[in-house]
Amino acid sequence: MPLQEIHQTDKQSGWAIWHINETEEQLENKIIGNPPVEITHENKKLEWLAARHLVLSLANHLGLRYFGIRKDSFGKPFLEKYPHQLSLSHSFPFVAAQIDFEQPVGIDLEQPREKILKIAHRIFSPGELADAGNDVAKNTVYWCAKEVMFKIHGKGGLHFSNQLNVEPFRLQEKGRITGVMVSDEKVKAELEYQITPDYILVFTGKD
């Protein structure tokens, strides 16, 4: 079972990473279910299945029974039969999940690629562009942080460049950054990030 890492951050809260190296047949079982028929790409099917295995593993680690995943009218996921909020992310062959009992959460995993530099001007503010420069890793952290805040907000409708803001930070292998979501009011989000040889991960931190 390629459960790469699992972390409990609080009572009934935590996050985990799965590295897919199984076939679709190896991941299928009655508890997990089958991918929706509209998912036809093989890697997308594997991501769907691995994400459910990951949530099952993380829920069990936190002392919760897995009954599946439900979504609200905005598509925000929750654990079935529990109030716990859930966030998922995937960048094949990696899948990430975060569960939290107390607060809205977001998690985002991306593999750094040069193409982020070509779209940064559309999603970053002038200050963020200046701070990130041409550093692919730092641009990716900014991008992931905005995705995380979008998931925390959970209702869509926010513009990445001016309503999901990330305060300047010094890039390290691991660190904390502060985001600000601007909707009806300004809401701060304390985030954590990790840079590994394979991917960059940003997730909702604990105070």
Side-chain angles (χ1 to χ4, degrees):
M1 181 179 70
L3 178 64
Q4 184 162 302
E5 55 181 307
I6 191 165
H7 302 267
Q8 184 163 352
T9 55
D10 206 344
K11 184 179 180 181
Q12 297 187 357
S13 302
W15 60 273
I17 305 292
W18 188 284
H19 185 188
I20 302 170
N21 60 21
E22 306 95 337
T23 64
E24 185 176 338
E25 290 73 22
Q26 290 171 324
L27 286 172
E28 287 177 335
N29 66 44
K30 292 181 180 178
I31 296 175
I32 300 303
N34 298 311
V37 293
E38 60 267 23
I39 300 179
T40 57
H41 192 282
E42 184 173 348
N43 285 355
K44 296 298 181 183
K45 289 182 180 179
L46 290 171
E47 288 174 346
W48 190 96
L49 290 164
R52 271 80 191 153
H53 277 281
L54 180 57
V55 175
L56 168 63
S57 299
L58 180 55
N60 288 342
H61 183 81
L62 299 175
L64 305 169
R65 188 176 175 186
Y66 178 77
F67 293 100
I69 297 171
R70 62 181 171 86
K71 295 183 179 182
D72 66 13
S73 59
F74 295 98
K76 187 176 179 66
F78 295 81
L79 282 182
E80 187 69 65
K81 298 189 179 182
Y82 290 101
H84 298 61
Q85 297 211 27
L86 169 66
S87 183
L88 297 169
S89 180
H90 41 74
S91 179
F92 192 85
F94 299 100
V95 180
Q98 184 172 16
I99 293 172
D100 200 283
F101 176 63
E102 297 180 332
Q103 64 179 347
V105 290
I107 192 166
D108 196 64
L109 182 153
E110 300 288 345
Q111 298 174 62
R113 295 186 174 94
E114 291 284 338
K115 68 178 183 181
I116 185 68
L117 301 179
K118 297 179 181 179
I119 63 172
H121 67 281
R122 300 205 306 266
I123 53 179
F124 297 162
S125 69
E128 292 165 347
L129 286 170
D131 187 54
N134 290 321
D135 188 319
V136 173
K138 195 166 189 178
N139 274 269
T140 305
V141 173
Y142 267 108
W143 166 251
C144 288
K146 287 173 180 276
E147 286 279 4
V148 167
M149 287 189 287
F150 191 81
K151 293 175 181 180
I152 291 172
H153 178 66
K155 297 178 182 178
L158 295 184
H159 296 284
F160 274 43
S161 61
N162 56 22
Q163 288 183 286
L164 298 172
N165 305 314
V166 181
E167 295 182 358
F169 62 96
R170 183 170 65 88
L171 189 67
Q172 305 174 83
E173 188 174 302
K174 294 183 179 182
R176 295 179 69 93
I177 50 180
T178 299
V180 180
M181 297 174 283
V182 182
S183 184
D184 296 331
E185 58 182 353
K186 290 184 178 181
V187 179
K188 281 196 171 184
E190 298 301 325
L191 312 176
E192 297 184 30
Y193 71 88
Q194 295 185 5
I195 298 176
T196 79
D198 297 314
Y199 57 79
I200 288 174
L201 179 75
V202 179
F203 57 93
T204 306
K206 285 290 185 181
D207 295 333

